[in-house]
Amino acid sequence: MEYSKMGGKNARDMIKDKRVTVIGYLRSAVDIANECANVNGTEKPCTMVVRTKSWIIPDYYAWGVHISNFYLTRFAELLIHKPGEGFLLNMLATVLTPLRLIISKFVESYYSIAMRKHDMVPDHSFFEGLVACVAAIAPKDHYKNLEEGSIVLKKSKTFSFCEEGVHVEGECTPIKSDIVIFGTGFKGDQKIKDIFTSEYFQSIAVGSTSMTVPLYR
């Protein structure tokens, strides 16, 4: 948020010719990393510290079919378990589980092609990622920047600071960093729950992690 409040020109001036490390791998983190890559190129590549692999997709088409046909229809709503759902909706979502898996595998078979080159195919299904709002559209040149090396990925569950920059798991030498930007997001579910004092309303508003749905639903 601090980065975006600076405005485009001031932000670009700040990262120009700097070794930037971005923590996180979702919308904000990927957007900022690609801005850094476009400014500094391969001379001073941007490093992304990735804890959890996410579905960062290049566009809305899988094998030529717009994914809204699979996920953003009234029928698609029946495939998802919802907080506070009744018996009938629960049974429908359960019975339609095989169809949900088939759709997810079809979409994943396309989007995982680019991700597999960088060992970034998520452990969870695309359907789960979309329902839980942990899938995102990549900036235009994201995978091109990964290929040419202007963005470098470091997979690590933890990190720590040192004089030279950032230490990550499995690396003997630190990631030399002039600037570290946190693109780790926030827990929106918790913010929604905190609106209510009733435990019942808290459970209905959010539900379990397996039933997470975007607020607009």
Side-chain angles (χ1 to χ4, degrees):
M1 288 189 292
E2 292 174 2
Y3 179 89
S4 64
K5 285 177 182 177
M6 295 176 68
K9 184 181 185 305
N10 289 336
R12 285 191 294 273
D13 289 343
M14 181 186 74
I15 62 178
K16 186 173 176 58
D17 296 325
K18 298 290 196 308
R19 297 168 299 184
V20 181
T21 296
V22 176
I23 310 296
Y25 194 66
L26 262 176
R27 295 171 182 82
S28 299
V30 172
D31 283 347
I32 292 171
N34 279 275
E35 286 190 16
C36 294
N38 293 335
V39 171
N40 293 326
T42 55
E43 292 183 10
K44 290 221 165 84
C46 175
T47 302
M48 299 190 75
V49 178
V50 182
R51 182 178 66 176
T52 305
K53 300 173 185 178
S54 300
W55 290 100
I56 307 298
I57 60 176
D59 53 43
Y60 289 106
Y61 289 88
W63 301 115
V65 182
H66 201 290
I67 61 173
S68 65
N69 295 317
F70 299 126
Y71 298 109
L72 302 179
T73 65
R74 292 185 182 277
F75 178 74
E77 295 292 323
L78 300 176
L79 305 176
I80 305 168
H81 286 288
K82 305 168 186 65
E85 65 188 0
F87 175 76
L88 181 59
L89 288 176
N90 182 284
M91 285 297 297
L92 270 172
T94 302
V95 170
L96 293 172
T97 296
L99 178 60
R100 185 176 73 230
L101 294 175
I102 290 170
I103 292 173
S104 200
K105 290 297 181 185
F106 174 80
V107 174
E108 289 168 25
S109 67
Y110 178 78
Y111 287 137
S112 62
I113 294 173
M115 297 178 188
R116 194 171 288 114
K117 295 178 183 178
H118 309 283
D119 189 28
M120 288 301 292
V121 179
D123 297 325
H124 56 273
S125 70
F126 181 74
F127 205 105
E128 290 174 307
L130 193 68
V131 167
C133 288
V134 288
I137 291 288
K140 180 183 176 183
D141 294 325
H142 177 62
Y143 285 102
K144 174 176 170 288
N145 289 333
L146 284 173
E147 289 283 347
E148 68 182 19
S150 53
I151 296 177
V152 177
L153 302 176
K154 298 287 184 182
K155 293 176 278 293
S156 178
K157 294 294 183 184
T158 61
F159 73 94
S160 59
F161 290 105
C162 61
E163 188 174 341
E164 294 89 351
V166 175
H167 270 299
V168 295
E169 295 175 0
E171 298 283 336
C172 299
T173 56
I175 302 168
K176 294 182 178 179
S177 311
D178 301 311
I179 299 171
V180 178
I181 301 175
F182 288 84
T184 49
F186 59 90
K187 295 183 178 178
D189 287 358
Q190 190 60 45
K191 291 180 180 292
I192 294 171
K193 288 178 71 173
D194 289 344
I195 294 172
F196 304 97
T197 55
S198 164
E199 291 184 5
Y200 171 75
F201 282 121
Q202 288 179 350
S203 66
I204 292 298
V206 177
S208 67
T209 53
S210 63
M211 293 183 176
T212 304
V213 292
L215 184 59
Y216 74 82
R217 294 185 193 277

